[in-house]
Amino acid sequence: MTPAASANTPRRATRYRKVRRRVYHMLGGEGHSDPWVKLVDYALVSLITVNCIFSVLESVENLAIVHGHIFHAFDRFSVAIFSVEYVLRVWTAVEINQPRFRHPFFGRLHFIFTPMAIVDLVAIVPFYLGFFFDVDLRAMRVLRLLRVFKLSRYSQAMGIMVDVLRQEARSIGAMLFVFLVILVFVSSLMYMLEHPAQPHVFADIPSAMWWAVVTMTTLGYGDMIPATALGRVVGACTAVIGVGMIALPAGVLASGFSEQLRQRREEYLETVDKVVRDGRVTRREKRLLEETRAALGLTPEEAARILEYGVKGGQLHCPHCGEPIHRNPLG
């Protein structure tokens, strides 16, 4: 290799890394505050939304006959865009600031099995399956609707909910275990009481489990109704217990959601404290605050209130009279 060629090799590698870093940034890998990143986000969100609308409309037979060629052309266009996006995300996965993704091969392989990468793959797989397998077109339309899950990448609320589920996993798991125990007990009891009177309705314990689930969730379809006096007593008790069992997870999720928001506000306040420690906020620090706000899913109003709280030493002031307001903005 000539000296000139050996000198060009590091330059090419540097340019390659810069391009990869830039693509990673454009795909929202470092936040969504940059105008160009927002433009890419809005374009992808719009494409996903229109895809879902077209998939729903294509299920209408008259529309499918008249405008089927438009639906198919747009689907091919969308798959091309989503395929390029997926390949670029896998290519730039090594730029993620986590040790498990740094290896050129195993890092990308690890990224492929992350939840969001699986969602991206599911969005394009149904189209390519049609080239290798003879599949039902109606099933393909339903599978294309799974692309709606790609919107979770751009939804802060979905991110917060995932964090809440992860945080409250043990509590929710304990409640599900109790629910299953009650379900099995009630189903067995109802089978014992109702099978002699209604052998075709409560034919077995699994059938009684369907009745128990419908009753405990207070849906009451009416396809399975107790006929004996004791069966009706058990049914009434099951309905009452079900109301409490359904309310518990809702309370846990609401509490976890509130706690998650509080933690995010505290995290933003810690960033504010670091930024205003020297008494001034530079342009770079403003960008850091905006990126942190976007990453934590806080509204600009919340961020401004917390920033004011941090700048004034932890004390808010009334904008009209200037008097201190003794209220913690973290809730």
Side-chain angles (χ1 to χ4, degrees), residues 254-304:
S255 176
F257 201 85
S258 177
E259 177 65 18
Q260 187 63 221
L261 290 177
R262 188 189 65 80
Q263 291 177 3
R264 288 172 179 246
R265 290 166 184 160
E266 285 186 350
E267 187 175 342
Y268 186 77
L269 182 58
E270 290 176 2
T271 305
V272 169
D273 288 339
K274 294 177 183 178
V275 166
V276 303
R277 190 168 296 168
D278 57 357
R280 61 190 183 90
V281 180
T282 64
R283 183 177 299 177
R284 184 178 180 181
E285 290 171 337
K286 287 182 179 178
R287 192 182 308 116
L288 173 63
L289 287 175
E290 175 59 23
E291 290 176 355
T292 304
R293 180 200 68 78
L296 295 176
L298 300 177
T299 64
E301 293 76 14
E302 285 180 305

Side-chain angles (χ1 to χ4, degrees), residues 23 29 56 80 85 98 120 122 127 144 213 216 223 249 275 308:
V23 173
V56 172
E85 179 202 4
Q98 294 184 28
D120 291 336
V122 168
F127 178 83
R144 288 206 302 268
V213 170
M216 291 181 72
D223 54 341
V275 166
E308 183 183 6

Side-chain angles (χ1 to χ4, degrees), residues 216-236:
M216 291 181 72
T217 54
T218 67
L219 292 175
Y221 288 128
D223 54 341
M224 301 175 70
I225 302 173
T228 65
L230 285 177
R232 291 174 180 174
V233 171
V234 173

Side-chain angles (χ1 to χ4, degrees), residues 64-253:
I65 294 173
V66 178
H67 304 291
H69 61 288
I70 298 177
F71 294 146
H72 295 322
F74 186 78
D75 184 53
R76 288 193 292 269
F77 169 75
S78 302
V79 169
I81 298 297
F82 292 148
S83 300
V84 172
E85 179 202 4
Y86 178 76
V87 171
L88 291 178
R89 289 192 184 278
V90 173
W91 176 53
T92 60
V94 293
E95 298 293 338
I96 301 175
N97 190 24
Q98 294 184 28
R100 56 179 177 163
F101 298 118
R102 288 176 184 170
H103 192 276
F105 176 75
F106 292 105
R108 292 186 172 100
L109 186 63
H110 198 109
F111 173 79
I112 288 174
F113 291 99
T114 58
M116 287 310 305
I118 292 174
V119 169
D120 291 336
L121 183 62
V122 168
I124 59 176
V125 161
F127 178 83
Y128 294 111
L129 286 178
F131 292 107
F132 303 101
F133 303 100
D134 186 17
V135 294
D136 186 1
L137 292 178
R138 290 172 296 180
M140 293 285 289
R141 295 191 193 107
V142 174
L143 287 176
R144 288 206 302 268
L145 279 173
L146 295 177
R147 292 171 187 170
V148 72
F149 287 105
K150 287 174 65 66
L151 291 175
S152 60
R153 185 188 297 277
Y154 310 97
S155 171
Q156 294 292 346
M158 185 66 73
I160 294 175
M161 182 56 67
V162 170
D163 291 339
V164 170
L165 291 174
R166 188 182 297 114
Q167 178 179 305
E168 303 293 341
R170 296 188 65 178
S171 300
I172 296 174
M175 285 182 290
L176 287 176
F177 176 76
V178 174
F179 182 85
L180 288 174
V181 170
I182 296 175
L183 176 66
V184 172
F185 174 75
V186 170
S187 302
S188 303
L189 183 60
M190 185 58 72
Y191 170 75
M192 182 181 67
L193 295 174
E194 291 294 323
H195 179 71
Q198 304 182 80
H200 299 293
V201 178
F202 290 87
D204 44 46
I205 292 180
S207 299
M209 283 184 176
W210 163 253
W211 170 87
V213 170
V214 171
T215 304
M216 291 181 72
T217 54
T218 67
L219 292 175
Y221 288 128
D223 54 341
M224 301 175 70
I225 302 173
T228 65
L230 285 177
R232 291 174 180 174
V233 171
V234 173
C237 294
T238 303
V240 173
I241 293 173
V243 171
M245 289 301 303
I246 297 303
L248 279 176
V252 169
L253 290 176

Side-chain angles (χ1 to χ4, degrees), residues 25-37:
H25 174 70
M26 291 294 293
L27 291 174
E30 296 177 334
H32 302 264
S33 57
D34 186 275
W36 288 104
V37 177

